[in-house]
C-alpha cells in the first residue's frame, strides 16, 4: 500500500498565489512534544478542505496558526494572500473562525449576540442590524432571535455561531469540528449550510473526526498523523490507497458465467450465486478494461458492483500502528 499521496508543493508565496490558504513546512512544538512536524498545505479558493486526524494529531493547532491565534515555530503560511505572521490583521479581516465549542453567549439573545459581533467589526448600528437580520433569517433563527441563547438547542447554537462568524463577510472560514455533539438531523442541516457557503464563493477549512462528513463535503482531504500529512487527495483517491477493493460481476445465464470464469484471471468464483469477484482499485481505467473485455467476448453481466474501502479503512490504515482488517462498502454502478 502506498504510504501517502504527497501534498502539492507550494512553489511561491505572495498575493499573486491563487490559493486561499497555503503553508509550507509549518512546525509547532509544546515542550518536547512536536505537534506539527513540517506540514504543507495548498487550498484553492471556493473549495472545502477537510483535515482529518485522531485526537491530539494537531488539527486544532493548525487552525490556530492559520487563523493567527498562535504563532508557528517554523515554516510559512498565507491566508487570503496575507502572511499570517507579518500581516496578521489583514488575515483576521478576511477570515471567520468557529471552534468545536460554541462562542455564543447564552445570557443574551441570539439577536444581541449578532449585534455584539457587528460592533466588534465596527459596523454602524444600521449596518449591524441589517446584517444581523439577514443572517438570522438565512439560518432560520428569526423566531428564536429574541430568546436567550441558553434556551437554544445544540443545533441552533451552532447555527448562531456560524451566523456570527459571517457578520464580517469573511472569504475564508475555519470550522474546527463544527458538528461535534450534534444529532444526525442537526449535522445534516450543518452540512447543507456549509454547501451553501461554498456555493456563495466562501472557502471552508474543516477539521472533523466524522469520516462521513469529510466524504460528503470535502473536495480535498488530508490525514494528519504524528504531526505529518500522511496522505492527501480526494476521497476517491484516498480510498484507492487501501488494498481490498474488487469488482463483482453477477450473471443469470450459467453459460455466460462459465465463459467469464474461464477467461478472466485472478477471479474468485461463487458458483451458487453465479458471481465473480475481480481484484480492482475501482479506478475508471480498470472498470473500462473489464467492460471492454465483456463487450469483446460477447458476455453480458447482469449486475456490476464496485466494492471499495471507505474512509474508515483509510483513516485506520494511516493512523494506527496495528494492522486493522478492512471492511469494504459496495456501490452499485
Amino acid at each position: 500500500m502506498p504510504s501517502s499521496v504527497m501534498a502539492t508543493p507550494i512553489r511561491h508565496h505572495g498575493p499573486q498565489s491563487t490559493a486561499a490558504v497555503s503553508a509550507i513546512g509549518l512546525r509547532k512544538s509544546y515542550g518536547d512534544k512536536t505537534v506539527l512536524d513540517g506540514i504543507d498545505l495548498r487550498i484553492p479558493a471556493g473549495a472545502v478542505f477537510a483535515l482529518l486526524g485522531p485526537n491530539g494529531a494537531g488539527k486544532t493547532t493548525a487552525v490556530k496558526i492559520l487563523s493567527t491565534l498562535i504563532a508557528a515555530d517554523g515554516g510559512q503560511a498565507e491566508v487570503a494572500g496575507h502572511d499570517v505572521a507579518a500581516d496578521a490583521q489583514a488575515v483576521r479581516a478576511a477570515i471567520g473562525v468557529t471552534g468545536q465549542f460554541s462562542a455564543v453567549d447564552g445570557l443574551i439573545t441570539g439577536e444581541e449576540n449578532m449585534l455584539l459581533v457587528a460592533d466588534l467589526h465596527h459596523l454602524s448600528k444600521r449596518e449591524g442590524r441589517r446584517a444581523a437580520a439577514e443572517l438570522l433569517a438565512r439560518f432560520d433563527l428569526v423566531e428564536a432571535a429574541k430568546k436567550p441563547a441558553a434556551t437554544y438547542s445544540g443545533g441552533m447554537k451552532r447555527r448562531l455561531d456560524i451566523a456570527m462568524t459571517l457578520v464580517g463577510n469573511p472569504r475564508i472560514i475555519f470550522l474546527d469540528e463544527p458538528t461535534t455533539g450534534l444529532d444526525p438531523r442537526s449535522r445534516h442541516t450543518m452540512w447543507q449550510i456549509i454547501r451553501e457557503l461554498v456555493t456563495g464563493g466562501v472557502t471552508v477549512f474543516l477539521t472533523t473526526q466524522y469520516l462521513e462528513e469529510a466524504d460528503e463535503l470535502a473536495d480535498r482531504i488530508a490525514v494528519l498523523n504524528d504531526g505529518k500529512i500522511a496522505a492527501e487527495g480526494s476521497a476517491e483517491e484516498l480510498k484507492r490507497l487501501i488494498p481490498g477493493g474488487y469488482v463483482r460481476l453477477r450473471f443469470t445465464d450459467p453459460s455466460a458465467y462459465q465463459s467469464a470464469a474461464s477467461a478472466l484471471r485472478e477471479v474468485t468464483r461463487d458458483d451458487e450465486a453465479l458471481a465473480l469477484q475481480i481484484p480492482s482499485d475501482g479506478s475508471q481505467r480498470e472498470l473500462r478494461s473489464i467492460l471492454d473485455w465483456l463487450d469483446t467476448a460477447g458476455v453480458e453481466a447482469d449486475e456490476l458492483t464496485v466494492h471499495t474501502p471507505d474512509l474508515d479503512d483509510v483513516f485506520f490504515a494511516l493512523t494506527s500502528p496495528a494492522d486493522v482488517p478492512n471492511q469494504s462498502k459496495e456501490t452499485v454502478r
Side-chain angles (χ1 to χ4, degrees):
M1 180 192 76
S3 61
S4 67
V5 177
M6 295 303 293
T8 303
I10 299 172
R11 307 271 180 208
H12 59 273
H13 289 271
Q16 57 270 65
S17 171
T18 58
V21 177
S22 60
I24 186 165
L26 277 191
R27 309 180 72 87
K28 184 67 179 179
S29 297
Y30 294 99
D32 59 357
K33 178 175 175 55
T34 300
V35 181
L36 297 179
D37 191 10
I39 68 168
D40 298 345
L41 298 170
R42 186 173 180 85
I43 305 167
V48 179
F49 176 85
L51 189 61
L52 298 181
N55 282 332
K59 301 186 301 295
T60 296
T61 298
V63 168
K64 287 182 176 180
I65 291 172
L66 294 170
S67 58
T68 77
L69 294 176
I70 61 174
D73 295 334
Q76 297 173 285
E78 283 188 355
V79 175
H82 305 287
D83 187 283
V84 298
D87 204 357
Q89 188 170 348
V91 171
R92 293 183 196 122
I95 67 172
V97 183
T98 297
Q100 54 186 294
F101 301 106
S102 175
V104 171
D105 185 340
L107 298 179
I108 60 177
T109 69
E111 182 181 52
E112 288 168 340
N113 270 281
M114 296 291 292
L115 294 175
L116 178 61
V117 175
D119 285 342
L120 293 174
H121 281 279
H122 306 294
L123 298 182
S124 68
K125 285 190 176 181
R126 180 177 180 181
E127 290 174 326
R129 291 193 175 279
R130 187 187 75 244
E134 290 176 354
L135 287 165
L136 288 167
R138 180 177 177 181
F139 287 89
D140 194 24
L141 292 168
V142 173
E143 290 185 10
K146 303 291 186 182
K147 299 176 182 177
T151 65
Y152 290 12
S153 67
M156 291 170 67
K157 285 180 181 176
R158 200 58 55 86
R159 295 204 310 273
L160 177 59
D161 204 5
I162 293 184
M164 290 161 61
T165 300
L166 294 179
V167 168
N169 196 28
R171 294 150 54 191
I172 300 163
I173 297 180
F174 293 91
L175 301 178
D176 190 17
E177 301 196 22
T179 62
T180 295
L182 296 186
D183 61 74
R185 184 182 298 277
S186 296
R187 185 172 297 135
H188 280 265
T189 299
M190 191 60 59
W191 291 357
Q192 186 57 38
I193 288 171
I194 293 170
R195 292 188 185 103
E196 290 171 359
L197 291 174
V198 175
T199 300
V202 174
T203 303
V204 175
F205 186 114
L206 171 75
T207 74
T208 182
Q209 293 188 58
Y210 297 114
L211 302 173
E212 180 190 8
E213 186 161 273
D215 207 353
E216 282 282 335
L217 296 173
D219 303 296
R220 301 284 293 178
I221 300 169
V223 181
L224 185 63
N225 188 51
D226 289 333
K228 297 179 181 291
I229 301 294
E232 181 181 353
S234 68
E236 293 307 313
E237 288 169 342
L238 293 181
K239 291 171 189 176
R240 288 200 292 269
L241 290 176
I242 308 301
Y246 60 90
V247 172
R248 183 174 185 268
L249 301 175
R250 189 182 62 80
F251 302 83
T252 54
D253 182 354
S255 63
Y257 167 71
Q258 292 296 342
S259 297
S262 299
L264 287 171
R265 296 179 178 180
E266 297 182 8
V267 298
T268 301
R269 298 174 56 134
D270 183 343
D271 293 338
E272 183 176 346
L274 298 182
L276 301 174
Q277 182 175 308
I278 307 165
S280 171
D281 63 7
S283 67
Q284 184 176 344
R285 176 182 54 80
E286 286 203 1
L287 290 177
R288 185 181 295 114
S289 176
I290 293 170
L291 293 172
D292 287 346
W293 179 89
L294 290 173
D295 288 340
T296 301
V299 177
E300 183 173 344
D302 295 276
E303 183 181 281
L304 182 152
T305 55
V306 179
H307 300 241
T308 60
D310 58 22
L311 279 184
D312 285 40
D313 300 311
V314 176
F315 184 85
F316 287 124
L318 293 174
T319 63
S320 173
D323 290 333
V324 180
N326 289 329
Q327 299 292 326
S328 62
K329 68 180 180 181
E330 175 179 313
T331 304
V332 180
R333 303 292 180 182

